[in-house]
């Protein structure tokens, strides 16, 4: 988009804004850049030909109320590799309807998760009840690039990262779409859900390999919960109904929109993919929270789910106190027997971590390997990820790579080797920021030899703030 304000003016507007989630690793950047011929240390693998796109919150204007890290305008950072050693970089804001309206005013107006504010009739008309920041993930399906935020429709973007606008699958998508869709590697279908603070609370949809939304069903869940992710197998979709519960009344009156209420219980719902939402089998479990799952698979009538589980929700909204320092996620496994109606679960690892990823070609199938972030610090004052833990779940072993004493990162993504066939034939890629130097790199590890350290490091032309999710998009896909 063409910015109406100069980067210097946008930066100046943030002077004196002392909000924890706008400082340090979270400090937004204030311009859109293009850079080619980036300096590379090491050797970029020829098999990495395509673009890594990563999304994250990067507020254009200072927030009008109390800021939550989930609130910021989406910004995409793209690193494109030509397979011959060349690398380029581009970043663009998601030019949402809400942001366009705010730019006409010269300041932000929409409320966020800490302090929802009923918009003026003009803001409601221009951008909706709240801003669709599209700040959480970015995927490509059937050739279409979609930036995702779980409270709204996807936002279509071009290969040049320009915003096209909100996309509802030709009118077929009713309600919001998760930022964590799952692809069935056998059928090429994109399996999605959407939740809402208002009825119907949960819907499941199937988008076929050609990009058409072909099936929707309401899942009767009975309450409005913040459901960030789910898992699928060839036969089932599995929903975790966890007690991070919306308070619709509070939401509309500027109160705390989501409250952690463990006394209200927790359940796992198993829905046959060839059935309807009403066929979902619900099984009670101990209250916990899971932002992200690693994977799931079927095994002898049971469904094995792996994810990053916390004892409680590890973030807070509105007037709720900050989460306790002990509320950290750990790699966890659930074994669900939907016929017997039982679930057993156990912790798999004693290191705190989140942002789990696998080779997406084994989504829903038994996977041997998986990654999640290595954590330097997770306490009252914040969270810092500084590397990756690459698990061999079959052998029960793992190898770590930590980027450096002053470096932070987020999610690490698996990029498959087009010439490979094994599950770990590929590379682990992430954006790493040195907070002391104020610089960022795109770091490539070989998944087959993580201990060897980076095979290539692309030096980016700017610091990249902390972000949420991204994906590797090969050219020949
Ligand atoms: Fe997420």
């Amino acid at each position: 988009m063409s910015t109406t304000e100069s980067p210097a003016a946008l930066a100046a507007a943030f002077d004196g804004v002392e909000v924890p989630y706008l400082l340090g690793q979270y400090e937004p950047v204030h311009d859109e850049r293009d850079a080619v011929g980036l300096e590379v240390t090491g050797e970029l693998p020829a098999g990495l030909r395509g673009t890594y796109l990563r999304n994250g919150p990067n507020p254009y204007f200072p927030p009008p109320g109390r800021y939550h890290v989930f609130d910021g305008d989406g910004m995409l950072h793209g690193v494109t590799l030509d397979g011959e050693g060349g690398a380029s970089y581009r970043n663009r804001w998601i030019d949402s309807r809400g942001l366009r309206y705010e730019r006409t005013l010269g300041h932000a107006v929409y409320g966020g998760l800490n302090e929802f504010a009923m918009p003026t009739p003009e803001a409601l008309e221009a951008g909706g009840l709240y801003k669709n920041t599209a700040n959480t993930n970015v995927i490509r399906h059937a050739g279409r690039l979609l930036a995702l935020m779980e409270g709204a429709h996807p936002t279509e973007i071009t290969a040049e990262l320009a915003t096209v606008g909100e996309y509802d699958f030709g009118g077929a998508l009713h309600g919001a779409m998760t930022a964590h869709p799952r692809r069935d590697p056998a059928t090429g279908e994109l399996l999605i859900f959407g939740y809402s603070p208002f009825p119907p609370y949960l819907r499941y949809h199937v988008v076929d390999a050609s990009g058409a939304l072909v099936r929707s069903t309401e899942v009767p869940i009975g309450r409005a919960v913040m459901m960030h992710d789910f898992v699928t197998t060839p036969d089932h979709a599995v929903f975790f109904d966890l007690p991070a519960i919306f308070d619709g009344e509070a939401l509309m009156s500027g109160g705390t929109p989501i409250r952690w209420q463990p006394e209200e219980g927790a359940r796992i719902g198993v829905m046959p993919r060839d059935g309807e939402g009403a066929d979902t089998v619900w099984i009670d479990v101990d209250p916990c929270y899971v932002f992200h799952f690693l994977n799931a698979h079927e095994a002898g009538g049971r469904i094995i789910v792996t994810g990053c589980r916390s004892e409680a929700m590890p973030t807070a909204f509105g007037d709720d106190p900050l989460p306790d320092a002990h509320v950290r996620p750990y790699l966890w496994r659930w074994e669900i027997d939907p016929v017997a109606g039982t679930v057993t679960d156990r912790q798999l690892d004693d290191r705190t971590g989140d942002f789990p990823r696998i080779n997406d070609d084994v989504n829903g199938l038994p996977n041997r390997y998986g990654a999640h972030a290595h954590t330097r610090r997770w306490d009252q004052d914040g969270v810092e990820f500084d590397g990756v833990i690459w698990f061999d779940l079959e052998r029960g072993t793992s190898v770590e790579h930590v980027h450096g004493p002053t470096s932070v990162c987020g999610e690490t993504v698996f990029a498959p080797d087009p010439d490979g066939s094994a599950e770990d034939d590929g590379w682990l890629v992430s954006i790493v920021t040195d907070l002391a130097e104020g610089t960022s790199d795109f770091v490539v590890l070989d998944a087959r030899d993580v201990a060897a350290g980076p095979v290539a490091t692309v030096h980016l032309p700017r610091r990249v703030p902390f972000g949420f999710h991204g994906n590797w998009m090969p050219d020949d896909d």
Side-chain angles (χ1 to χ4, degrees), residues 68-71 113 135-136 149-151 178-180 193-197 201-202 221 223-230 239-247 257-261 288-293 313-317 468:
H68 191 280
V69 68
F70 296 168
D71 288 344
L113 284 166
N135 69 7
T136 312
M149 186 276 268
E150 69 195 41
T178 177
H180 287 288
F193 70 93
Y195 73 80
S196 168
Y201 298 122
L202 185 63
I221 188 172
R223 64 182 183 180
V225 294
M226 187 180 197
M227 188 182 291
H228 186 69
D229 193 2
F230 80 143
F239 306 99
F240 277 52
D241 170 9
L242 306 175
I245 303 174
F246 277 93
D247 181 338
I258 304 162
R259 283 189 189 278
W260 177 246
Q261 299 178 58
C288 63
Y289 200 74
V290 181
F291 267 108
H292 300 114
F293 295 101
M313 193 176 211
T315 185
F317 301 93
F468 296 135

Side-chain angles (χ1 to χ4, degrees), residues 52-73:
Y52 169 69
L53 279 185
R54 201 217 66 188
N55 205 343
N58 192 102
Y60 188 89
F61 293 116
R66 285 175 297 169
Y67 182 73
H68 191 280
V69 68
F70 296 168
D71 288 344
D73 298 297

Side-chain angles (χ1 to χ4, degrees), residues 96-114:
S96 65
R97 288 191 293 138
L99 178 55
R100 282 180 208 169
Y101 178 66
E102 291 178 332
R103 286 166 58 213
T104 67
L105 303 176
H107 60 87
V109 293
Y110 294 94
L113 284 166
N114 274 342

